[in-house]
Amino acid sequence: QVQLAESGGGLVQAGGSLRLSCAASISRGVVNLYLMAWYRQAPGNERKMVATMTIGGSTNYADSVKGRFTISRDNAENTVYLQMNNLKPEDTADYYCFARSTWNAVGDWGQGTRVTVSS
C-alpha cells in the first residue's frame, strides 16, 4: 500500500515562493513509484495537473506554471517536491500529490495541502 503525505502549504504574498513536499510511505514490499505528480484544485474548479515527473526524470508542466514551478524527486526517499516561485493569486488552490506505482497503476492521492497567495 502507498500512502502520500503533503506538507509545505501556507499563505504567501504574490511574488513569493513556497516549496511543497510529498513523502510516500510504502507499507510492505518493493514498489516502483514510476510517476509522481502534483495536481491542484481551486474552489469551484476541477482538479488539474500542475507537474509530473517519471522515475527516470522526465517532466511535464502545465502551461500556467512553466518557468515558475519546478518538480523534483528523491527516489531513494520516495519523495517529490514542488518548488513554486513568483506565485500569483491564481495559484491559490489545494495542492495534491499523486503517485502511480507498481502497487496501484490507477494511482494514489494525498490529502492535499492548501496554498493561498494574497495580492
Side-chain angles (χ1 to χ4, degrees):
Q1 184 178 5
V2 176
Q3 292 184 316
L4 304 172
E6 303 97 335
S7 61
L11 174 64
V12 64
Q13 289 188 329
S17 298
L18 281 176
R19 189 191 195 207
L20 305 183
S21 300
C22 171
S25 299
I26 299 170
S27 58
R28 57 188 174 188
V30 178
V31 176
N32 182 323
L33 300 171
Y34 55 86
L35 180 77
M36 299 190 80
W38 290 96
Y39 284 71
R40 68 185 181 187
Q41 187 169 16
N45 291 335
E46 62 184 15
R47 193 172 297 186
K48 296 180 180 179
M49 185 274 290
V50 176
T52 69
M53 190 170 192
T54 67
I55 196 169
S58 296
T59 59
N60 187 37
Y61 294 92
D63 288 341
S64 59
V65 307
K66 284 180 181 177
R68 300 189 297 122
F69 291 10
T70 302
I71 188 171
S72 61
R73 59 187 288 177
D74 183 333
N75 291 330
E77 298 295 328
N78 293 325
T79 301
V80 64
Y81 305 95
L82 186 68
Q83 178 66 44
M84 305 185 294
N85 298 328
N86 189 22
L87 282 159
K88 304 176 180 181
E90 52 264 42
D91 294 318
T92 295
D94 291 324
Y95 284 71
Y96 296 89
C97 180
F98 173 82
R100 190 166 287 153
S101 68
T102 51
W103 169 264
N104 182 1
V106 174
D108 292 287
W109 293 94
Q111 293 299 308
T113 185
R114 179 156 294 177
V115 172
T116 303
V117 184
S118 63
S119 57

